[in-house]
Amino acid sequence: MSLLTPSPREICDRLSIIALKQQAGNTSAHLREEHTTLVVRLHGAAYATVINAPEQCALVDLMYALTAVNAFIWHKEDAIRDLGAIRDLGKISLTAKVVGSNKTVAEHTAELAIEIRKLADRRHYLIAEIDRLFGEERAGKEKSWMQQSNDSRG
């Protein structure tokens, strides 16, 4: 992302991250200023692209979905970090069973990683849809990358 000229997709992604940080209690003036600046830029991009009312509604839906996906990714990554921290302290081994499950720590970690990959694929799709709303060329390229990625994974 160019700091001087972020694309609409980058603005939307950053706004979703700011929303999560604010929800977690970060109310810094810097974050509020960045939020305001990005919202103004996004409105300018929407005006320049001439996004109509239904597309604006679609953009809001995409941004809510993107924020949710980013939150799920953070949650899953935190779970992996927590398992790693416990293991690093020598309090648990990879072959130990996860409480309330028949799975080992290694199996649970692998499942979390797969869930993160699926969420990342969903995130890429949402960002491609934002690109499409703004007429960005890479929307088609990203979708074809996702298709190749999904095809190769079986």
Side-chain angles (χ1 to χ4, degrees), residues 52-128:
N52 61 33
E55 289 170 331
Q56 289 175 12
C57 290
L59 178 60
V60 169
D61 290 344
L62 288 166
M63 288 183 65
Y64 279 130
L66 182 60
T67 303
V69 167
N70 280 335
F72 283 126
I73 289 171
W74 280 16
H75 176 73
K76 303 289 183 188
E77 288 174 342
D78 285 347
I80 288 175
R81 278 188 207 89
D82 291 345
L83 286 171
I86 292 169
R87 186 176 170 276
D88 290 346
L89 292 172
K91 295 183 179 181
I92 194 168
S93 74
L94 289 174
T95 56
K97 297 288 184 184
V98 174
V99 176
S101 171
N102 289 335
K103 296 180 179 131
T104 65
V105 170
E107 291 167 334
H108 185 61
T109 302
E111 283 183 357
L112 288 168
I114 290 168
E115 290 172 16
I116 290 170
R117 178 192 49 92
K118 289 178 181 178
L119 287 165
D121 287 346
R122 176 71 179 151
R123 183 178 174 278
H124 285 289
Y125 169 79
L126 294 168
I127 288 173

